[in-house]
Amino acid sequence: MTASDKQRKIITTLQERRRIEEAIRQLAYLSLPQEVEGQARRIANMGDQVLPTLTRLLDTSNSRFLGALGLVAAHMDHQEIAPALHDVAARSGQSDRIRLAAMLILERFLGEELDESLYAGLQSPEETVAQSLVEMVDEATQNRDVLREYVRATEHQSDDVIALVFDIVRNLGPERAVLPFWALAQSERQDVAELALHHLGSLRSPASAIMLQALLPTLSPARRPVAERSLRKLQFSGVNVPSLCPPQPSWRSLVSPIDSRGYQSVWFLFDPQQDAPIQMLSVLLNNLTGIQNVARDHDEELAQCLPSERRLGIIHQVVFPGAPAALPLLETTFDAGRHLVQEALAAGYAQEREPPLNYATLSDALWKWEICQGEKWPQLDPPSTAEVAASSPHVASLLDHVAFETWFVQSETLSRVVREIGWKALFRRSPEGAAPSDDLIRWHFSPEAIVRYCHRLERMAGWLWLAGEVKMARLAQVAAITLNEIAPENHPFAQHMVVRGIAIALREMGLE
């Protein structure tokens, strides 16, 4: 190889490494899961310079960038990346920060068990962890993803490591320690959460009092008394415990209909010029299992999709980027949306499910503000017996409403029967014409399923009532009442949900 060939190879290698580094930096600021997954996979397949580039970039204090390195590592050949990172972690000549970064990726992203000797070989782990925590707290004021990763990283640590972290956080000072202790108070580990709540009660800071008040509506019944004791401790120690400010009148929530599987989304909109930590917060709920996911957004394209009209009760048809169809969203008050979130929290805790961490580290956007106790989701008076009798033959017309577009049965059994037997086998003759077979309806409308559908229909009655559609709200109530009185195979609402489910299964298989 000539000198010029060597020079060209060196230049090419440097260019490849710069491209890889730039791609990793882009990955660190992606938010959509499918984009993150795709970018991480592409980087991992960018050639033999990925490994040396990744190990060279470990000397970073940016937790988002470190997380991006971990995602790329998770998509690389395990037998290649794991030994390389073990080598870095064990190399005594490296700084503690580089070695700890390698250990973090090995443990969190590659599922490797780490030898205790790796930690013992660190020169000044307390100083490194303290510096990392300071940087994390500073970054977390703008980027809550950092806070989420910080809490997640503590959930599998030993008691000694947890004690070290708490000592370091406390030494950050009352103002800086509030945010990490508030986040740790929502850890899945009960011992970590209770310890964090105790520490919040000893910080002697009005900011700590505000965050403890913000925790009360969102903590599980087991943790709430601990938070209340910590708040009283602050009051008794002479700390000024400020009252929470009311939400800005211009803040709003947009609420989707609940679908037949119990999912419902709530979009909270904050005016950017107001003192709000984020501009948009979307919360995905399920009426059985609680909060499923939370996302925040400053995206200008997304913001332009959201309606500007603020008249309560209007149903907006919102088309989000990449969505196949418009989503009906009901304009409601900020507190009405918060009430739905509280109901979902209660449902999750009843199933012994903690809310996801991305909710926990964003929840102060909802709960740092005074709660209007009178603002609840409407509970309607039941219709009269005569109204039920008159309306029950018409309940299937609910499925023609835009809010019921996502109401249909779906199951592996239905798809398999359609695929293997054919859709005609799913129908029987009735005096009114073709109807789904009794067995198929009963299978999808078991007693347990009927209870779930009735609860969702009652929720939809409230949604329609707030939209000013009183007649349809009453019809939803009648559907819920009669599902408990009429056998599902004879119930028009149940029949039509199954018919729609068959049609959708046929369409998805290309069998229409």
Side-chain angles (χ1 to χ4, degrees):
M1 179 182 292
T2 65
S4 61
D5 289 337
K6 289 180 180 179
Q7 289 178 352
R8 278 196 297 271
K9 185 171 183 181
I10 291 170
I11 291 171
T12 301
T13 298
L14 291 174
Q15 289 174 335
E16 287 178 5
R17 291 188 178 187
R18 279 198 294 270
R19 280 198 299 272
I20 293 166
E21 180 176 348
E22 180 57 30
I24 294 172
R25 294 193 185 282
Q26 292 172 1
L27 172 62
Y29 290 93
L30 294 178
S31 57
L32 294 177
Q34 61 269 28
E35 291 182 355
V36 170
E37 178 76 11
Q39 178 80 340
R41 187 182 296 109
R42 282 191 294 275
I43 296 170
N45 292 320
M46 286 177 74
D48 57 7
Q49 292 303 312
V50 176
L51 179 57
T53 302
L54 189 146
T55 54
R56 179 175 59 83
L57 297 173
L58 290 172
D59 189 10
T60 179
S61 61
N62 186 314
S63 56
R64 286 188 83 153
F65 188 67
L66 185 57
L69 294 176
L71 289 169
V72 173
H75 286 82
M76 295 173 67
D77 182 350
H78 192 91
Q79 295 184 350
E80 179 184 23
I81 183 63
L85 290 174
H86 271 290
D87 180 61
V88 172
R91 202 178 301 158
S92 58
Q94 296 280 20
S95 69
D96 282 358
R97 183 158 73 179
I98 293 175
R99 296 174 68 188
L100 282 168
M103 288 186 231
L104 182 144
I105 293 174
L106 282 165
E107 187 173 39
R108 194 185 312 169
F109 293 93
L110 302 182
E112 292 280 302
E113 292 284 340
L114 298 183
D115 193 290
E116 288 295 327
S117 63
L118 291 175
Y119 292 100
L122 295 171
Q123 297 172 8
S124 53
E126 292 88 351
E127 182 180 334
T128 303
V129 172
Q131 182 59 33
S132 297
L133 282 171
V134 170
E135 293 165 351
M136 180 276 298
V137 171
D138 290 342
E139 189 180 352
T141 57
Q142 299 297 323
N143 175 19
R144 291 300 180 86
D145 293 343
V146 173
L147 207 56
R148 183 179 68 240
E149 291 306 315
Y150 159 68
V151 176
R152 185 175 287 127
T154 65
E155 290 184 346
H156 304 290
Q157 299 295 342
S158 66
D159 291 344
D160 289 343
V161 172
I162 293 296
L164 170 64
V165 169
F166 272 73
D167 286 343
I168 292 170
V169 171
R170 186 168 181 80
N171 289 333
L172 295 176
E175 297 306 318
R176 265 186 164 159
V178 168
L179 195 59
F181 279 146
W182 166 79
L184 287 167
Q186 299 170 87
S187 168
E188 288 186 3
R189 283 181 57 170
Q190 184 72 10
D191 58 334
V192 170
E194 290 192 5
L195 187 58
L197 288 168
H198 285 304
H199 277 282
L200 278 172
S202 62
L203 286 180
R204 298 181 60 81
S205 159
S208 180
I210 288 174
M211 296 309 267
L212 276 167
Q213 291 179 82
L215 283 169
L216 292 177
T218 202
L219 287 177
S220 68
R223 295 182 187 178
R224 199 171 299 130
V226 184
E228 290 169 342
R229 285 197 296 272
S230 291
L231 191 58
R232 287 196 297 271
K233 182 179 176 182
L234 283 177
Q235 291 172 318
F236 294 151
S237 64
V239 174
N240 175 34
V241 177
S243 299
L244 297 181
C245 297
Q248 294 291 338
S250 57
W251 293 354
R252 331 144 55 189
S253 62
L254 305 178
V255 180
S256 78
I258 190 169
D259 71 13
S260 56
R261 295 183 297 161
Y263 290 99
Q264 186 171 34
S265 58
V266 183
W267 285 77
F268 295 93
L269 308 184
F270 306 82
D271 286 343
Q273 70 270 20
Q274 302 287 0
D275 181 23
I278 49 182
Q279 293 180 28
M280 292 176 280
L281 184 74
S282 61
V283 188
L284 179 64
L285 316 174
N286 184 276
N287 74 311
L288 282 181
T289 54
I291 295 175
Q292 305 297 300
N293 197 14
V294 177
R296 61 176 180 172
D297 220 307
H298 304 268
D299 185 81
E300 191 62 32
E301 181 185 7
L302 183 60
Q304 290 175 357
C305 297
L306 296 169
S308 58
E309 185 176 356
R310 298 165 181 260
R311 179 165 54 86
L312 290 178
I314 189 172
I315 300 175
H316 305 287
Q317 293 294 328
V318 182
V319 181
F320 290 106
L327 177 66
L329 293 176
L330 176 68
E331 182 83 34
T332 64
T333 64
F334 188 75
D335 271 300
R338 289 199 293 180
H339 179 73
L340 291 178
V341 173
Q342 279 196 298
E343 282 192 350
L345 284 167
Y349 290 138
Q351 301 287 327
E352 298 185 347
R353 287 170 52 103
E354 289 290 330
L357 263 182
N358 57 351
Y359 164 79
T361 52
L362 293 169
S363 62
D364 60 321
L366 298 179
W367 306 114
K368 266 201 322 190
W369 319 101
E370 180 186 13
I371 298 174
C372 178
Q373 297 297 332
E375 190 86 38
K376 296 186 182 296
W377 201 250
Q379 299 292 321
L380 309 184
D381 293 332
S384 66
T385 303
E387 190 175 358
V388 171
S391 300
S392 59
H394 309 294
V395 290
S397 64
L398 281 167
L399 296 172
D400 297 327
H401 194 282
V402 64
F404 282 86
E405 285 182 350
T406 55
W407 280 67
F408 55 90
V409 300
Q410 52 187 317
S411 66
E412 286 296 325
T413 298
L414 179 63
S415 300
R416 179 178 52 79
V417 171
V418 169
R419 185 171 53 250
E420 296 177 1
I421 302 176
W423 67 270
K424 290 183 179 179
L426 302 175
F427 286 84
R428 59 175 171 79
R429 298 302 300 175
S430 74
E432 294 77 26
S437 70
D438 293 351
D439 289 343
L440 188 63
I441 298 175
R442 282 194 293 264
W443 196 90
H444 286 94
F445 283 82
S446 65
E448 296 79 12
I450 287 173
V451 171
R452 294 195 293 269
Y453 283 131
C454 289
H455 185 276
R456 292 161 193 167
L457 282 163
E458 290 290 351
R459 172 68 62 81
M460 279 305 304
W463 192 94
L464 291 162
W465 183 274
L466 288 175
E469 301 199 23
V470 177
K471 183 178 179 181
M472 297 303 286
R474 286 299 192 190
L475 206 54
Q477 287 184 288
V478 171
I481 291 169
T482 53
L483 270 175
N484 282 309
E485 298 173 347
I486 300 172
E489 62 269 24
N490 297 323
H491 197 288
F493 186 80
Q495 291 176 350
H496 282 73
M497 273 190 64
V498 174
V499 169
R500 180 180 281 180
I502 294 170
I504 290 173
L506 288 168
R507 184 163 65 244
E508 289 177 348
M509 296 179 201
L511 301 175
E512 280 187 309

